[in-house]
Amino acid sequence: MIQDMIAIVRDYWLLLLIGQYPNGPLGGLANTLILSALSIILAFPASILFAMARLSKSRLLRWPVTALVYFTRGVPLLMLILWSYFLVPLLTGADVPSFVTMLTTLVIYQSAFLSEVVRAGIVALGPGQMDAARALGHGYMGAMRFIILPQALYNMIPSILSTFVSTIKDTTLGYVINVPDLTFAASQVNNQLLTQPFQVFLILAIVYFIICWTLTYFANRLERRITRRRAGLLNAPAAVVTPSKIVSEQL
Amino acid sequence: MSGFDLSAILGNPEYAAMLLHGIQMTFIIYAGSWTLAMALALLLLAVRLSPFRFGDPLVAAYVSYHRNVPTLVQLMLWYFGIFTLMPNGVATWLASHNAEAIFAVIGLGLCQAAYFSEDLRSGVRSVGPGQMEAARALGHGYVSAMRFVIMPQGVRNALPPLINHSVSLFKNSSLAVVIGASELTHAVKEIENLSFRTFEIYLIGTVLYLFFSLVIMSIGAYLSMRADPARSARA
């Protein structure tokens, strides 16, 4: 059984790693990681804007974004993927690769979730920071830019890392619209072998586990460090609100 | 095939029946996996809370596996992998009893148990140690102190994350379509293939998911309010 798995990895490691790359589209693990990284990078600025809109006093800003967040949280990701699969080509009028479709979906989905993370980070800072910044003569945007967001985002680094982990896990759903990612590569391997599905999918699970576990581990370590540092700064070790606790209660 | 027309789907008895069957299967999978997850989560919690330490690393490994491996991969491993390893008699029996749905329940339930058990654990952990000491001082044994003093408070503390995870379990039930279970997403895709009314059927499917998610969220909000009115008023 273990020999089987070693043999599969030995024979197919290139396919699992980069798909059919030189002779076809980039795929496999590389594609999974690129897709996750791109969607987090693109979702990040959007999520800051969303969070600020949800905290703004203007209903015109607050309501549409709140509706979007509720919508995204209430509908399965799979449904959203099917929507973009059919809408993105219709709107752009071109043949869109499944990679782009999946990226669009993930960016929308993760901006909604990340905006909750950022919002929790801002709320956890407390109103005093904003009041103090305004008292020192900063305008609202200036206070956000120089006082609130740097602190909130620093505190939220662990939660952002966890969102990255869930993005990696979510990319597997691209399988449904044939995004050539790691899951897709594994099912190709399975189709070629036919006789060892358990071994193939166990390898798949192990690879995902190693990547996500490593990231989770770093997120936890960072979280402890940031909490300690904040406790030191605030001089009140017992009463620190960890932002990620607020998030985990909300999400 | 022109214009927006919901009645083309809802008015067609065949499509309406497919949708209803899909909703029914989604709820069967949801109810099954929720029950399995909660039962297993309580078991995992009991192991974690017991004074014997040797179960801890096992539970930690279980939670870690289910949190760090994508749910879809877990379902694939069950349905494409473990199913094929089963002895012939069991496999044929399962195949004739809607194996897709059974494995969806097993896969989703085992995975969700990890999340539920962590929610419950942090809920129980936030009950102060004084509660246990006080209960013991009043003459409760360990089990009865757990049953009457610690757990009611712990579960109440854990309600908000439990509700969130119940909603995500409902949404995750759509993943069962990948292993071929005939639930709501499956019905939506089938009807799309038959009717070519992509926009209308996706809209119906989305509204249904959104509606049921909101229903589960409201039930959850109602339960939290009942369990702890003061805290809900603050939130």
Side-chain angles (χ1 to χ4, degrees), chain B residues 83-162:
Chain B
F83 190 16
T84 50
L85 289 185
M86 286 180 165
N88 238 330
V90 182
T92 37
W93 186 87
L94 282 171
S96 60
H97 287 82
N98 205 345
E100 295 85 8
I102 292 174
F103 280 100
V105 167
I106 295 175
L108 290 170
L110 291 188
C111 176
Q112 204 62 32
Y115 291 93
F116 280 172
S117 83
E118 286 296 276
D119 294 345
L120 287 170
R121 189 165 76 103
S122 57
V124 169
R125 211 165 43 174
S126 61
V127 178
Q131 295 288 325
M132 178 54 108
E133 287 158 14
R136 296 302 289 270
L138 285 172
H140 281 288
Y142 176 80
V143 174
S144 110
M146 270 305 198
R147 158 92 182 70
F148 293 106
V149 180
I150 307 294
M151 281 310 280
Q153 299 182 67
V155 171
R156 196 169 70 184
N157 290 340
L159 263 180
L162 280 180

Side-chain angles (χ1 to χ4, degrees), chain A residues 83, chain B residues 3-6 9 196-205:
Chain A
W83 268 111
Chain B
F4 177 76
D5 185 12
L6 278 182
I9 289 165
F196 297 108
R197 290 200 170 268
T198 315
F199 191 82
E200 287 90 339
I201 185 59
Y202 281 169
L203 190 68
I204 293 172

Side-chain angles (χ1 to χ4, degrees), chain A residues 73-74 83 169 216 249 251, chain B residues 67-68 164 171 175 206 213:
Chain A
R73 283 175 57 184
W83 268 111
K169 294 197 289 171
T216 315
E249 278 186 13
L251 288 185
Chain B
R67 285 219 292 202
N68 288 311
N164 284 324
K171 296 194 294 168
L175 297 186
T206 308
S213 297

Side-chain angles (χ1 to χ4, degrees), chain A residues 55 57 119-136 138-140 143-144 147-149 151-152 155 230 234 241 246:
Chain A
L55 290 169
K57 287 194 178 70
R119 192 170 69 108
I122 294 174
V123 171
L125 273 186
Q129 294 289 327
M130 180 52 107
D131 293 344
R134 296 302 289 269
L136 285 174
H138 279 291
Y140 178 79
M144 268 290 167
I147 312 287
I148 306 291
L149 284 179
Q151 297 185 71
N155 293 337
R230 268 182 67 79
L234 293 172
V241 188
I246 297 179

Side-chain angles (χ1 to χ4, degrees), chain B residues 4-234:
Chain B
F4 177 76
D5 185 12
L6 278 182
S7 62
I9 289 165
L10 295 175
N12 183 323
E14 191 196 343
Y15 297 158
M18 286 165 83
L19 265 180
L20 274 181
H21 176 74
I23 295 172
Q24 198 188 350
M25 278 313 290
T26 285
F27 272 95
I28 290 174
I29 292 172
Y30 179 54
S33 49
W34 196 93
T35 314
L36 176 64
M38 193 45 89
L40 207 57
L42 288 170
L43 195 71
L44 290 172
L45 183 71
V47 175
R48 262 276 160 96
L49 292 179
S50 78
F52 308 105
R53 295 286 77 152
F54 49 75
D56 288 5
L58 285 178
V59 177
Y62 180 92
V63 170
S64 192
Y65 170 79
H66 287 93
R67 285 219 292 202
N68 288 311
V69 174
T71 315
L72 182 67
V73 175
Q74 292 172 33
L75 282 177
M76 286 171 141
L77 189 59
W78 274 103
Y79 184 68
F80 299 124
I82 292 174
F83 190 16
T84 50
L85 289 185
M86 286 180 165
N88 238 330
V90 182
T92 37
W93 186 87
L94 282 171
S96 60
H97 287 82
N98 205 345
E100 295 85 8
I102 292 174
F103 280 100
V105 167
I106 295 175
L108 290 170
L110 291 188
C111 176
Q112 204 62 32
Y115 291 93
F116 280 172
S117 83
E118 286 296 276
D119 294 345
L120 287 170
R121 189 165 76 103
S122 57
V124 169
R125 211 165 43 174
S126 61
V127 178
Q131 295 288 325
M132 178 54 108
E133 287 158 14
R136 296 302 289 270
L138 285 172
H140 281 288
Y142 176 80
V143 174
S144 110
M146 270 305 198
R147 158 92 182 70
F148 293 106
V149 180
I150 307 294
M151 281 310 280
Q153 299 182 67
V155 171
R156 196 169 70 184
N157 290 340
L159 263 180
L162 280 180
I163 293 157
N164 284 324
H165 281 137
S166 298
V167 176
S168 32
L169 176 60
F170 177 72
K171 296 194 294 168
N172 280 346
S173 72
S174 65
L175 297 186
V177 72
V178 177
I179 59 171
S182 59
E183 40 72 79
L184 182 52
T185 310
H186 187 262
V188 166
K189 290 182 80 175
E190 287 275 281
I191 296 172
E192 197 234 329
N193 282 337
L194 292 172
S195 68
F196 297 108
R197 290 200 170 268
T198 315
F199 191 82
E200 287 90 339
I201 185 59
Y202 281 169
L203 190 68
I204 293 172
T206 308
V207 168
L208 283 171
Y209 270 113
L210 196 58
F211 172 73
F212 290 126
S213 297
L214 290 174
V215 167
I216 299 170
M217 282 184 210
S218 342
I219 295 174
Y222 174 74
L223 285 178
S224 328
M225 200 189 67
R226 278 281 304 274
D228 195 349
R231 188 172 157 182
S232 305
R234 261 184 282 128

Side-chain angles (χ1 to χ4, degrees), chain A residues 6-179:
Chain A
I6 293 170
I8 294 171
V9 173
R10 199 185 53 223
D11 295 344
Y12 292 99
W13 65 274
L14 200 59
L15 181 66
L16 290 169
L17 203 61
I18 56 168
Q20 298 159 323
Y21 173 53
N23 318 307
L26 182 67
L29 182 59
N31 213 26
T32 293
L33 293 177
I34 292 172
L35 186 58
S36 325
L38 270 182
S39 36
I40 278 283
I41 291 168
L42 291 175
F44 189 56
S47 71
I48 295 177
L49 292 179
F50 283 2
M52 282 169 65
R54 283 203 70 183
L55 290 169
S56 117
K57 287 194 178 70
S58 150
R59 283 180 191 165
L60 212 66
L61 284 174
R62 203 170 61 220
W63 285 5
V65 176
T66 308
L68 177 78
V69 171
Y70 269 78
F71 174 77
T72 315
R73 283 175 57 184
V75 174
L77 179 57
L78 198 57
M79 264 336 250
L80 293 179
I81 293 169
L82 294 175
W83 268 111
S84 346
Y85 188 57
F86 133 78
L87 271 184
V88 172
L90 206 70
L91 293 175
T92 55
D95 231 6
V96 179
S98 55
F99 181 87
V100 178
T101 307
M102 192 61 198
L103 183 63
T104 319
T105 321
L106 279 176
V107 168
I108 295 170
Y109 190 72
Q110 295 302 351
S111 350
F113 276 83
L114 256 183
S115 82
E116 291 290 274
V117 170
V118 175
R119 192 170 69 108
I122 294 174
V123 171
L125 273 186
Q129 294 289 327
M130 180 52 107
D131 293 344
R134 296 302 289 269
L136 285 174
H138 279 291
Y140 178 79
M141 289 313 278
M144 268 290 167
R145 159 92 183 68
F146 295 108
I147 312 287
I148 306 291
L149 284 179
Q151 297 185 71
L153 295 179
Y154 172 74
N155 293 337
M156 297 320 286
I157 293 172
S159 298
I160 292 166
L161 266 179
S162 322
T163 314
F164 192 64
V165 173
S166 49
T167 313
I168 294 176
K169 294 197 289 171
D170 289 341
T171 55
T172 51
L173 296 194
Y175 173 78
V176 179
I177 56 169
N178 291 333
V179 178

